[in-house]
Amino acid sequence: TGSGGVPENARAVLMNVTGVPVSALGYLTVYPDTDGDGHTAAPHASTLNYATTSPVANMVIVELPADGQINYLTSNQARVVFDVIGYIPAS
């Protein structure tokens, strides 16, 4: 937090996430880095799924932990684009 127009006290960010798979079939998951070391376990839910090599996008709201870091996981090799489109203020 505190960068890219998102204030330090933001609770969450709204992002458009686009996955451009290099190979077919897969998923992408975006989630907060709650333990602060980049090793937070990924949830058992996907942010978006892809079945071809065409780009797939989805809007996501990600809660921001104290350090403001988020993680992502792809099941297969993919290029990922994150566009922050807004945020939810602290209160």
Side-chain angles (χ1 to χ4, degrees):
T1 57
S3 64
V6 178
E8 289 186 24
N9 66 345
R11 265 191 337 193
V13 291
L14 287 74
M15 298 188 299
N16 188 53
V17 180
T18 304
V20 183
V22 175
S23 60
L25 295 177
Y27 64 88
L28 173 106
T29 301
V30 181
Y31 56 100
D33 179 23
T34 55
D35 62 9
D37 65 2
H39 294 92
T40 301
H44 298 287
S46 63
T47 301
L48 58 88
N49 300 298
Y50 40 84
T52 68
T53 55
S54 299
V56 177
N58 195 15
M59 191 186 94
V60 63
I61 299 172
V62 182
E63 183 179 2
L64 290 174
D67 66 1
Q69 300 296 310
I70 61 168
N71 291 339
Y72 71 94
L73 169 75
T74 59
S75 64
N76 285 321
Q77 193 175 30
R79 294 177 185 91
V80 181
V81 179
F82 296 97
D83 292 314
V84 175
I85 55 177
Y87 62 90
I88 298 173
S91 20

